[in-house]
Structure formats: C-alpha cells, structure tokens
Amino acid sequence: MVRNLTFLFLIMFIGCEMNSKQVIKPEKFIFEEVRFDSVSKRLIFKDFKEDSDIKNMKKIINYWFDNKIKTNGFDGALDAKVNNIDIDKLKSTNYFKVSINLAFEFIEIKENSKSKKTYNVEASEYGEIEGSFSINDQENLTLNLMHQALNGVSKKLSDLN
C-alpha cells in the first residue's frame, strides 16, 4: 500500500511540475567593463515618475555604474546622466508586451586642458509573451529586457571608447 501511495504522489508531483512550467527564465548577464579617462565619476538621474519598474531599473543601473564603469585617468571627471527611462507594458488576456528605452549622456571633462567629450547612447529592447503565462513570467521578461537594454548601452560605449 505504501508503494502505491508513493508512486501516486510521485506521478502527481511530476504532473504538477509539468503544468506549472515557466515560459520565461531569468537570464544571467555579464556586462563589459567600460573605461573612461577620468579620475572621478558621478551618476545623475533626471526626475522620473517613481513606480516599481523605474525603481528596479535604477537599482540595475546603479549596480552597473558602480561595478562596470571604471575610471583610469589622472585628470578630469565623468558625469553619466540618465536622460530617459521609458518602460511601456501592454497586457491583455493572452498577450503581454514590454518595450524599454534608455538614453544616457556621458560627459568627460578635462580640467587641465579644458576639453570636453560627450557621448549620447540610446538602447531599446522589446519582448512579448503569447498564450498562457504567469505573473512571474511577466516580471522575468521585464527584468531580462532591462538587463538587455543596459547590456546594449555597455556594448555601444565599448565601441565608442
């Protein structure tokens, strides 16, 4: 009897796992390091309406800026301005769509030579889910697109520098 119950519970557990499979898996991103010829760096956010997605994007940008934007100069300062964070979501019964647009302005100022370099970088990402999906799938898609957009900024900066 115990074997039959164990076998029955095992089949139920496997069946539940198959039905609750996630559509979107969280991805791991490895951002490239970007180096600027300056001594100090500062991150500046424009005023954005504060919702949970904007707060998450700000946390991701802060982490990226603190860990992947490096300074290696003897003079000057780097100002990184986040000019735009636009996250649009569209949801219906069997459809979920997200688009993310980022706009940065990086300004390198050399005090001794009075020179100034400006880099304007934009990135856009888009994703959608159709069919049956969970709230967790929506959140994973949104977070993955946030990371992809920032990864696009990193790659564009690496090409410019």
Side-chain angles (χ1 to χ4, degrees):
M1 182 70 177
V2 173
R3 285 186 197 176
N4 291 338
L5 284 175
T6 306
F7 183 69
L8 181 64
F9 283 128
L10 182 63
I11 289 176
M12 285 177 46
F13 179 72
I14 291 172
C16 291
E17 281 294 312
M18 288 180 169
N19 289 334
S20 68
K21 189 186 285 187
Q22 281 188 314
V23 177
I24 306 294
K25 301 283 185 197
E27 295 181 33
K28 297 286 184 192
F29 290 94
I30 300 173
F31 298 114
E32 296 179 26
E33 279 190 0
V34 182
R35 298 198 177 274
F36 286 93
D37 188 24
S38 64
V39 176
S40 64
K41 63 181 182 177
R42 183 173 59 158
L43 181 62
I44 303 165
F45 287 100
K46 274 192 161 181
D47 292 330
F48 299 107
K49 65 175 184 142
E50 290 293 322
D51 63 0
S52 63
D53 289 329
I54 298 295
K55 286 180 184 177
N56 285 337
M57 191 70 223
K58 282 183 173 182
K59 286 179 188 176
I60 293 169
I61 290 171
N62 277 319
Y63 176 82
W64 169 77
F65 186 76
D66 290 341
N67 295 297
K68 297 300 177 179
I69 302 297
K70 304 291 183 180
T71 58
N72 62 352
F74 296 109
D75 179 34
L78 171 70
D79 286 341
K81 296 179 183 179
V82 182
N83 292 330
N84 185 29
I85 301 174
D86 186 27
I87 302 172
D88 292 324
K89 294 181 178 181
L90 177 65
K91 182 181 176 191
S92 68
T93 307
N94 293 327
Y95 185 77
F96 180 70
K97 178 174 110 174
V98 180
S99 70
I100 297 176
N101 297 310
L102 295 177
F104 284 85
E105 181 180 21
F106 292 88
I107 303 169
E108 264 184 317
I109 301 170
K110 298 287 184 185
E111 294 173 12
N112 287 345
S113 63
K114 307 256 190 257
S115 67
K116 180 178 174 181
K117 290 182 185 177
T118 303
Y119 306 99
N120 289 310
V121 181
E122 294 183 12
S124 298
E125 290 295 328
Y126 164 82
E128 62 184 64
I129 310 172
E130 290 183 15
S132 177
F133 51 86
S134 68
I135 293 173
N136 199 23
D137 291 330
Q138 295 172 33
E139 291 171 0
N140 285 339
L141 177 65
T142 304
L143 286 173
N144 287 345
L145 290 175
M146 287 177 182
H147 284 91
Q148 286 174 0
L150 205 50
N151 198 24
V153 170
S154 285
K155 288 181 180 179
K156 290 177 182 177
L157 280 175
S158 294
D159 293 343
L160 290 173
N161 259 341

